[in-house]
Every structure is written in C-alpha cells, then in structure tokens.
C-alpha cells in the first residue's frame, strides 16, 4: 500500500487568522492500520537514509526539526521511530528541559543556538526556544528567574518574543538551515489514557510526573498559547505542521513523509571533483591495484 503525499494537509497556513480547534487530533476517514503504517514507515527509512548521506557529504545544508507538544503526545517515540535507523553520525538530538542558571543569564535563544545542527547534519530539538512562548506564557512567573530589564508579561512582550523567533529562523534559513516544526496535536481524552497507562504499567511509572496532572488542567491556556505561536511563526522558511497525534503509527508516518519530501526538494548532490582531482584519483587507483 502506498499513501498519497499528505504533508500539505497538515501544514499550518503562513498568514491569516486561525483557530486551534480546526486542527484535528485524529484524521477522519479510512487510514492504514497499525501494521500498514509501520510497514510504510520502515519503507521510508531507505530514502531518508540515502538523502541523509548526500546531505552529509555535500555539507552545504543543515536540517532543524523541532518537536513541540503537550505531555504524552509522543515526541520521544516519534523521534526514535523516524530517526532511529539512519546514520547516527549525521544526527544531533537535543532535549531541552528546565533551563540552568547559566542559560537564564543569557537571552532566551542562546541555549538552543549553541546546539544548532552543523552543515550536513539533521538536528532534532525535543522542545525548543518555543517553550519561552508556551510554558513561560502559561507560567509568566518563570520570567522572574530571567532577571530581564522589562519582564512585564503583556501583549507587547509576547509579540516581541515572536518577532525575535521569526528573525532568528529567517537568519538560519538564509544561512542554509532548513527548518521543520512539528506540533503533535493530542486530544485531552487520548492524553488521559496515556497518562493513566504510565500509572498502571510499572515499566512506564518513571515517565509519570505529578506536575503532569497540574499542567493538564491548564490545557485551555496551552492551546491558546499554541494558537498564537502557530499564527505568528508559521512562515514559508520555517513552516509548522500540526500533526494529529492520537494515532501514533500514523503520526510517525506523516512526520517521516514530510522530512523525506523536504529533503527531496533540496538541490542535494554528492560533491564533484575537479578534472585534476579526478586524474589524481586514477593515479591512486593504479597504486592500490599494483600492490
């Protein structure tokens, strides 16, 4: 079975008003079952691996994949499933949690900028600088630790942070970083089931945090923050994709499809040697063959 490409169905519009409720947490209609999704995902690894090899050899572009979601949406497992079987030398994964004192003593983009992917590599952010306009917006008291000259959390403050993010991403794009941003959109009902499974399954107990329940009560505030983020920062050079996350195998398949589709559109090619270098190669070949 081969699915038609659906990446554009999940891309957040680049301009205009939008409502967070328009993005589904599950895709209506018939979709492939779990086994079919896993088979299609496995099949996508081959072109992804080949494209990553050319990306690495060419050493001209880098890819930055940003994953954001409410708790239990499946960020970790999606990253593992999509990127787990390509060359680890070509990937850089960073998990951004609570900022350290050193990080708080810099601007809010500093800590992630230090871990941007090198040319030729795929960088993966499990959470990112977007926490500063999501979690911090829902919990503006976190700004106290940042010791800013003006930390009044009004509309102007958040607009300026969004502007800084847009400028940052535009700068990265101009310098060869291709940005893909994935919001894994899970329903409240499915999130509840997954949190409950963490309590019921001893092997998953370590994943559960009491704060998960506190944050769950703040879901409306988080969705409003996401709505503003998607509206303000989905741009042609740094698109957001709102991926339905209630069905994990389907979600992973769509993320892989978007990544492969993006890489296929880049002008990737293995480096070509100059004529003198090619002639030198012929000489090196004779030396080895004569041994």
């Amino acid at each position: 079975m081969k699915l038609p490409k659906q990446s554009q169905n999940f891309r957040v519009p680049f301009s205009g008003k939008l409502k967070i409720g328009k993005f589904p947490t599950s895709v209506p209609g018939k979709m492939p079952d779990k086994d079919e999704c896993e088979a299609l995902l496995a099949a996508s690894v081959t072109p992804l691996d080949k494209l990553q090899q050319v990306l690495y050899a060419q050493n001209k572009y880098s890819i930055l994949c940003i994953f954001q979601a409410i708790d239990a949406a499946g960020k970790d497992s999606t990253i593992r499933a999509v990127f787990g079987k390509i060359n680890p030398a070509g990937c850089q994964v960073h998990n951004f949690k609570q900022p350290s004192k050193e990080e708080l003593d810099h601007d809010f983009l500093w800590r992630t900028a230090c871990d941007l992917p090198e040319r030729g590599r795929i960088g993966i952010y499990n959470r990112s600088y977007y926490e500063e306009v999501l979690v911090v917006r829902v919990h503006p008291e976190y700004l106290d630790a940042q010791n800013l000259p003006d930390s009044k959390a009004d509309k102007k403050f958040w607009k300026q942070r969004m502007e800084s993010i847009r400028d940052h991403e535009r700068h990265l794009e101009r310098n060869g970083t291709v940005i893909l941003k994935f919001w894994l959109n899970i329903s409240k009902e499915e999130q509840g089931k997954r949190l409950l499974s963490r309590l019921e399954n001893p092997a998953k107990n370590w994943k559960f945090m009491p704060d998960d329940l506190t944050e769950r009560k703040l879901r409306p505030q988080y969705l409003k923050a996401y709505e503003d983020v998607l509206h303000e920062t989905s741009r042609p050079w740094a698109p957001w994709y709102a991926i339905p996350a209630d069905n994990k195998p389907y979600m992973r398949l769509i993320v892989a499809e978007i990544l492969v589709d993006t890489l296929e559109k880049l002008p990737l090619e293995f480096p070509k040697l100059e004529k003198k270098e090619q002639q030198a190669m012929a000489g090196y070949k004779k030396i080895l063959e004569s041994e």
Side-chain angles (χ1 to χ4, degrees):
M1 178 180 180
K2 183 176 176 61
L3 281 177
K5 289 189 175 181
Q6 303 181 65
S7 57
Q8 300 309 310
N9 296 343
F10 304 108
R11 194 187 71 196
V12 176
F14 296 142
S15 61
K17 295 292 184 181
L18 59 88
K19 292 295 183 183
I20 203 76
K22 71 170 283 188
F23 300 110
T25 59
S26 60
V27 179
K30 186 177 181 181
M31 70 175 72
D33 60 25
K34 179 180 178 180
D35 290 341
E36 289 172 322
C37 284
E38 290 180 349
L40 289 167
L41 177 60
S44 74
V45 170
T46 298
L48 178 57
D49 183 51
K50 290 181 179 178
L51 288 163
Q52 189 264 339
Q53 290 179 39
V54 185
L55 177 80
Y56 186 83
Q58 188 185 45
N59 201 38
K60 183 178 290 187
Y61 297 96
S62 61
I63 310 294
L64 176 59
C65 298
I66 294 175
F67 289 86
Q68 292 285 161
I70 290 173
D71 293 325
K75 297 188 303 300
D76 292 350
S77 62
T78 298
I79 291 169
R80 186 168 59 250
V82 174
F83 301 95
K85 294 185 179 180
I86 63 175
N87 185 358
C91 288
Q92 301 165 332
V93 183
H94 299 283
N95 188 1
F96 295 100
K97 296 185 178 180
Q98 185 174 346
S100 67
K101 185 179 185 302
E102 180 186 17
E103 291 166 342
L104 289 170
D105 277 339
H106 290 82
D107 70 273
F108 77 94
L109 292 169
W110 179 79
R111 69 168 178 162
T112 52
C114 291
D115 290 318
L116 285 166
E118 302 167 17
R119 298 190 193 281
R121 289 169 171 80
I122 298 174
I124 301 147
Y125 283 2
N126 187 342
R127 303 188 186 277
S128 67
Y129 44 83
Y130 279 102
E131 295 292 283
E132 292 291 332
V133 286
L134 292 167
V135 175
V136 178
R137 187 165 185 177
V138 175
H139 295 280
E141 65 273 16
Y142 292 170
L143 288 171
D144 295 341
Q146 298 185 17
N147 201 29
L148 298 171
D150 181 9
S151 59
K152 185 180 179 182
D154 54 13
K155 288 184 178 180
K156 180 182 177 182
F157 178 85
W158 300 116
K159 281 281 187 182
Q160 288 176 339
R161 284 211 160 179
M162 300 285 195
E163 182 180 358
S164 294
I165 288 173
R166 289 196 302 270
D167 290 344
H168 177 63
E169 292 178 340
R170 188 58 161 157
H171 167 74
L172 294 178
E173 183 270 338
R174 288 179 180 134
N175 286 274
T177 298
V178 178
I179 304 170
L180 296 172
K181 300 177 294 191
F182 301 101
W183 171 48
L184 308 184
N185 182 19
I186 187 173
S187 67
K188 185 176 182 180
E189 294 73 22
E190 181 62 23
Q191 185 201 33
K193 292 177 184 177
R194 294 181 190 176
L195 291 176
L196 188 60
S197 74
R198 293 179 179 182
L199 293 170
E200 295 174 339
N201 185 344
K204 295 182 178 181
N205 286 169
W206 65 274
K207 291 184 177 183
F208 184 82
M209 300 292 177
D211 286 348
D212 292 343
L213 298 182
T214 303
E215 296 298 285
R216 179 171 163 80
K217 293 178 181 178
L218 298 173
R219 181 181 173 88
Q221 291 94 313
Y222 273 105
L223 290 181
K224 178 62 173 70
Y226 269 106
E227 183 173 86
D228 290 344
V229 161
L230 298 179
H231 170 66
E232 293 286 345
T233 64
S234 188
R235 295 295 185 268
W237 58 87
W240 272 107
Y241 290 90
I243 312 296
D246 283 1
N247 183 313
K248 281 188 178 183
Y250 184 76
M251 171 183 68
R252 295 165 185 163
L253 175 61
I254 295 302
V255 169
E257 177 194 294
I258 292 169
L259 183 59
V260 170
D261 188 49
T262 300
L263 283 165
E264 286 178 339
K265 290 177 180 176
L266 287 177
L268 299 178
E269 60 180 2
F270 285 109
K272 294 180 180 178
L273 300 180
E274 299 291 337
K275 188 174 182 180
K276 288 183 178 180
E277 293 174 310
Q278 291 176 358
Q279 291 172 344
M281 288 288 182
Y284 301 146
K285 181 182 176 183
K286 288 181 180 180
I287 292 172
L288 287 171
E289 290 176 339
S290 66
E291 290 181 352

